[in-house]
Amino acid sequence: MNLAAGSNQPAITYLNHETTVRSWLLTRDHKRIGVMFLVGVIFALLLGGIFAMALRIELLTPGPTVMAPMTYNRMFTLHGVTMVWLFMIPAIPSAFGNFVLPIMLGAKDVAFPRLNLASFYIYLAGSLLTVFGMLWSGADTGWTFYTPYSTVSPTTVTPILMGVFIIGFSTIITGLNFITTVHTLRAPGMHWTRIPLFVWTIYGTSVIQVVATPVLGMVLLLVAAERVLGMGIFDPSRGGDPVLFQHMFWFYSHPAVYIMVLPAMGVITEVVCAYSRKNIFGYKMVAASTFGIAFVGFFTWGHHMFVSGQSTFGSGVFGVLSMLVAIFTAIKIFNWVATLYGGSIDLKVPLLYVLGFIFLLMFGGMTGVAVATTSLDVHWHDTYFVVAHFHYIMVGAVLMAFLAALHYWWPKMFGRLYPERWSFLAAMTIIFGFIVTFLPQFLLGNMGMPRRYYEYPREMQWLHVLSTAGASLLAFGFGLIAIYLLWSLRYGAEAPVNAWGSRGYEWYSGSPPVPHNFTEAPRFEREVHDYTVAEVPRVY
Amino acid sequence: MEELFRKSLFLPEQASSIAKDVDHLHYAIITAALVMAALIFGFAAYCLIRFRRRSETDVTPRVQGTLGWELLFVGVPLTTFLVWFYIGYHDFIRMQTPPPEAMDVYVVAKQWMWKFTYPEGPNAIGVLRVPVGKPVRLLLTSRDVIHSFYVPAFRIKQDAIPGAYTQTWFEVTKPGSYRVMCAEYCGLKHSEMWAEVVALSEADWDAWMKEQRKGLVALKDASPSGPEREESGIPARRAARYDAQEPHGELMYAERGTLPERGERLAAERGCLKCHSVDGTAHIGPTWLDLYGRRERLTTGETVVADEAYLTESMMKPQDRLVEGFEPVMPSYQGQLGAAEVAALLEYIKTLRSARLENTRSEGPVYEPGGGK
């Protein structure tokens, strides 16, 4: 592999062709919007992380440790709201999807560049309203806003509901934009069977976003209407049904898990191929399983309600359908691992995150099967087992893939290399820290520790201490990453055009890319991640 | 082997007829997950070593999956998962179907307490007494928000929903005291909404029931820290709940609920109801029904109005002015009851009027609209 020298890089890039603040704020360049989303979601991660650390410190001792119960209840609500809606949902699609998806398709930009910019400002507005709500009063309902508690809670829930409602529009717009882009802006040679798997997952995700997010919007509006206007939709004393909220909420929020996880799976596929220098083992199965997950994901919401009094038969149906998601996930896991076979594997940091991802997804998925098994869920429902399960599968997946993507595409985005050893140390710290944080929580759940508990029986303490220790490691790892990435922006070695010798299509353009991605129209003559042909990286 | 599995998975004791079956499926799934993980990571580790990059110009063969492989990838887990599902659903149906001969207990959840009512009369807050070896069906509802009745040792959980009745059932297999927790987030004191199930042997149950039927001490059993519990080596509930930092626990305890509600709990927890009835029946001490404002004749011959002052005095210095006809057996609560607790007890006693019987009667699902603020 001839790694091109730095001299091969374009002189004028999307970063330096215009440098005023105005040129950034009013940009219609999908790459700049992607970078702005990246900054936004990293702030959200920081905020959610601070809440998480506060929670873990509070739980160090069985009784009160550093905060009052009300503060604690607000903290876990805000941790959930921030992490789910401000970080995990937009993290990969809006930041990395925006950046690489058009390049991968050989397009100059997304289909609706102005709408793309609007989507960022809508995200910003919704986030600011949510943060304002947090600072003003801070809901104590949990991120699920279950009625009737959310309609009678003494805290001010409405601004946060409205903030999330607004963010929903950003999600829908981004989804529409990506779907249109994939359909209309593919360059010559980009057949449907050549579309990179990352694009496939973003496409699948966009479908979920467009279909499911309106339901979330509706249910949040209804809760707000009940709080402000006293409508009797969920309030039984006024003829409402409190469980109706759960149906509507999970009709969005279960597919939302796949809004978070599918793009992560796309990143993992790209990274596995690049670092094992191999084509994906089963392209069609991996692409198809994406849509399997997206489709079946809509029919599993009832598995959140096995103990809510819904019909036994209904629980059975939702249980079986939930297991199908695990099947589609299993296909992906097997294909990733099979891809390693016969490769030329370089265990660089992104691939390390992939291993972390597969580990977490594996156990997150198997425990998911366990909680879809109706009789077992009765014991585990709403306990720390579930907390650990969804942190493994959803947070673990998003975080690992987010960090893998950040490292894999860092040279692409900023034209700089990060320090290899520091990043390796940070990756090990984060993977180990994550496991130490959440493994004890599975055991706590087995013991019967319900989630959202401010106080707990003394015999559970040492597992909590272990969990907090893991969280501290995680925080340390994130600090390390923040330091060396910021350092590399200025002092990092200049990256070659194709820093990893990848055959992903996004490396056809420069690193960083020129303003409209390509100086001449690209042509796609080979399959994505085809390593059987020798090829020099090219900059169109 | 069973014990090894259970202990290494930190599962609580198995105290219900369903617990063992649930656990066996736990073990199977956890074991399978570990085996699966070992295979996948074993294979990945083999690849990482065998196929590590040796030079920058390595050429790799194109390996493409075949339909056979993909079918294998799908078929093996699908079969396994469906078998688990079948077994689990079978158990789930058992959990959801109370036997027809089950004994009924009504459970009313409320921020933040559990109230148990037996159809034949006695009710209790915080303690559910049940016989060992007999199925018990719980009919749950809530008076405010959604709560969830969770007994880890029984492996059962069921939401209590305002405006609706849900049900679950269990059959305890050994006598003892089992922790009940609220598993659905329900506001400020969610983590303190604890109760216990006390499973009595058949003989004890019969004796208790007989006593209840006599109607002597309607709420006597609401006391969670009777001597028999300490003997059996189970820590008293208060100790379990506030084991961490007693002063904080005490403070939060004092803040719970409205004053009468707190008084009701306190009366149960401090053993007041061992001697005082709340339904007018005579017992060791004067009944609390209609006590507030009643003129009582003392052993000295004078009369006194049972107002706040006198009632407080009776708690702190019970022998000083004793009501006629009762033995001087009440211990002093000086230094044991805080001001807020005394107030709570007084407010509770004030609510005990003949016209209002709800404190000793079972209550239906009452939802209190909370308003929109």
Side-chain angles (χ1 to χ4, degrees), chain A residues 293-339:
Chain A
I293 293 175
F295 183 72
V296 173
F298 278 105
F299 302 97
T300 59
W301 83 88
H303 70 216
H304 294 266
M305 299 158 67
F306 287 161
V307 301
S308 72
Q310 80 181 1
S311 81
T312 308
F313 177 74
S315 298
V317 172
F318 284 123
V320 169
L321 288 169
S322 303
M323 291 193 169
L324 294 184
V325 175
I327 293 297
F328 292 123
T329 309
I331 294 175
K332 285 185 189 278
I333 293 183
F334 289 137
N335 278 292
W336 291 325
V337 179
T339 301

Side-chain angles (χ1 to χ4, degrees), chain A residues 140 227 235 281 345 381 458, chain B residues 53 65 157 185 243 367 372:
Chain A
D140 71 332
R227 281 187 71 88
D235 178 347
F281 184 72
I345 302 168
H381 184 81
R458 174 170 282 172
Chain B
R53 189 167 299 178
K157 185 182 287 124
Y185 175 71
D243 56 359
Y367 179 68

Side-chain angles (χ1 to χ4, degrees), chain A residues 232-276:
Chain A
I233 295 155
F234 306 118
D235 178 347
S237 71
R238 279 172 272 184
D241 177 3
V243 184
L244 173 65
F245 174 87
Q246 296 178 26
H247 284 286
M248 293 178 77
F249 181 82
W250 289 116
F251 183 81
Y252 164 78
S253 293
H254 199 79
V257 172
Y258 307 118
I259 294 181
M260 305 171 206
V261 174
L262 283 179
M265 291 170 161
V267 169
I268 296 308
T269 312
E270 297 293 326
V271 172
V272 163
C273 292
Y275 290 92
S276 56

Side-chain angles (χ1 to χ4, degrees), chain A residues 209-490:
Chain A
Q209 285 174 330
V210 171
V211 177
T213 314
V215 181
L216 174 77
M218 280 187 272
V219 74
L220 294 179
L221 268 192
L222 290 176
V223 174
E226 183 147 314
R227 281 187 71 88
V228 177
L229 308 173
M231 291 165 72
I233 295 155
F234 306 118
D235 178 347
S237 71
R238 279 172 272 184
D241 177 3
V243 184
L244 173 65
F245 174 87
Q246 296 178 26
H247 284 286
M248 293 178 77
F249 181 82
W250 289 116
F251 183 81
Y252 164 78
S253 293
H254 199 79
V257 172
Y258 307 118
I259 294 181
M260 305 171 206
V261 174
L262 283 179
M265 291 170 161
V267 169
I268 296 308
T269 312
E270 297 293 326
V271 172
V272 163
C273 292
Y275 290 92
S276 56
R277 205 167 272 185
K278 272 287 301 297
N279 60 310
I280 186 78
F281 184 72
Y283 173 89
K284 283 182 184 164
M285 284 301 271
V286 173
S289 65
T290 300
F291 289 89
I293 293 175
F295 183 72
V296 173
F298 278 105
F299 302 97
T300 59
W301 83 88
H303 70 216
H304 294 266
M305 299 158 67
F306 287 161
V307 301
S308 72
Q310 80 181 1
S311 81
T312 308
F313 177 74
S315 298
V317 172
F318 284 123
V320 169
L321 288 169
S322 303
M323 291 193 169
L324 294 184
V325 175
I327 293 297
F328 292 123
T329 309
I331 294 175
K332 285 185 189 278
I333 293 183
F334 289 137
N335 278 292
W336 291 325
V337 179
T339 301
L340 297 175
Y341 185 83
S344 164
I345 302 168
D346 193 8
L347 190 56
K348 283 263 171 36
V349 167
L351 192 61
L352 199 56
Y353 282 117
V354 169
L355 294 179
F357 176 93
I358 296 178
F359 182 86
L360 297 178
L361 193 74
M362 171 84 216
F363 281 100
M366 288 302 281
T367 50
V369 170
V371 289
T373 305
T374 40
S375 67
L376 302 188
D377 181 66
V378 173
H379 177 58
W380 281 329
H381 184 81
D382 266 340
T383 66
Y384 265 61
F385 189 90
V386 172
V387 174
H389 155 68
F390 76 71
H391 276 90
Y392 258 56
I393 196 148
M394 161 175 132
V395 182
V398 175
L399 270 184
M400 295 294 142
F402 180 77
L403 293 172
L406 196 61
H407 288 84
Y408 178 53
W409 283 317
W410 188 258
K412 171 101 256 160
M413 297 176 91
F414 301 108
R416 300 277 179 172
L417 292 174
Y418 51 84
E420 192 64 36
R421 285 186 183 189
W422 285 107
S423 62
F424 208 86
L425 175 69
M428 293 303 276
T429 311
I430 284 190
I431 295 170
F432 182 69
F434 200 93
I435 294 169
V436 176
T437 307
F438 295 104
L439 193 65
Q441 298 191 7
F442 280 120
L443 303 174
L444 281 168
N446 283 353
M447 286 172 92
M449 162 109 189
R451 66 197 285 200
R452 298 171 174 165
Y453 257 32
Y454 172 73
E455 285 185 72
Y456 54 85
R458 174 170 282 172
E459 70 265 22
M460 294 173 178
Q461 184 177 6
W462 71 273
L463 287 170
H464 277 289
V465 171
L466 199 58
S467 183
T468 304
S472 314
L473 267 182
L474 263 179
F476 174 75
F478 279 114
L480 211 55
I481 293 178
I483 291 169
Y484 72 69
L485 283 188
L486 287 175
W487 177 89
S488 89
L489 273 183
R490 197 179 171 88

Side-chain angles (χ1 to χ4, degrees), chain A residues 33 36-37 40 115-125 170 174:
Chain A
I33 295 170
M36 291 199 290
F37 262 117
L115 212 52
N116 202 17
L117 182 65
S119 131
F120 173 71
Y121 283 109
I122 294 170
Y123 165 77
L124 198 63
S170 165
T174 305

Side-chain angles (χ1 to χ4, degrees), chain B residues 196-209:
Chain B
E196 64 182 333
V197 177
V198 176
L200 300 169
S201 66
E202 207 165 335
D204 288 349
W205 169 258
D206 289 342
W208 181 73
M209 235 12 217

Side-chain angles (χ1 to χ4, degrees), chain B residues 62-278:
Chain B
R62 185 175 170 83
V63 180
Q64 193 74 46
T66 58
L67 189 65
W69 276 108
E70 299 292 352
L71 284 180
L72 189 72
F73 287 174
V74 177
V76 172
L78 186 63
T79 316
T80 326
F81 294 170
L82 289 181
V83 168
W84 291 343
F85 176 79
Y86 176 78
I87 300 169
Y89 192 51
H90 193 266
D91 289 341
F92 183 69
I93 291 173
R94 264 172 72 205
M95 286 178 178
Q96 297 276 308
T97 319
E101 75 276 13
M103 172 191 126
D104 282 351
V105 180
Y106 288 86
V107 181
V108 178
K110 194 174 180 310
Q111 282 171 329
W112 290 275
M113 60 172 82
W114 294 102
K115 197 164 169 177
F116 306 103
T117 310
Y118 302 81
E120 53 267 56
N123 76 23
I125 290 166
V127 182
L128 170 62
R129 301 228 163 192
V130 295
V132 166
K134 277 188 190 147
V136 178
R137 176 170 74 138
L138 302 180
L139 289 146
L140 302 115
T141 192
S142 162
R143 292 192 55 182
D144 34 50
V145 301
I146 298 176
H147 303 273
S148 191
F149 184 88
Y150 177 32
V151 188
F154 299 170
R155 312 286 188 272
I156 62 152
K157 185 182 287 124
Q158 182 64 51
D159 286 0
I161 294 162
Y165 269 106
T166 54
Q167 64 171 21
T168 185
W169 75 281
F170 58 83
E171 184 183 318
V172 193
T173 51
K174 51 187 174 186
S177 166
Y178 306 101
R179 190 185 278 144
V180 176
M181 293 187 272
C182 178
E184 182 61 70
Y185 175 71
C186 60
L188 189 61
K189 305 280 176 68
H190 167 55
S191 65
E192 286 176 57
M193 193 168 155
W194 291 20
E196 64 182 333
V197 177
V198 176
L200 300 169
S201 66
E202 207 165 335
D204 288 349
W205 169 258
D206 289 342
W208 181 73
M209 235 12 217
K210 217 165 127 192
E211 201 181 347
Q212 294 301 313
R213 292 222 171 84
K214 272 193 267 170
L216 279 181
V217 202
L219 282 174
K220 177 179 173 183
D221 274 283
S223 164
S225 45
E228 80 279 5
R229 300 233 4 264
E230 279 152 30
E231 279 165 19
S232 65
I234 299 151
R237 185 158 59 97
R238 276 180 52 77
R241 181 189 294 159
Y242 301 123
D243 56 359
Q245 299 190 13
E246 186 63 23
H248 288 281
E250 205 61 40
L251 189 69
M252 285 187 293
Y253 176 77
E255 287 167 357
R256 178 193 316 240
T258 65
L259 274 180
E261 284 166 8
R262 280 149 54 185
E264 195 176 7
R265 287 188 67 87
L266 269 174
E269 296 203 344
R270 295 302 176 96
C272 308
L273 304 175
K274 291 189 170 190
C275 301
H276 298 280
S277 75
V278 294

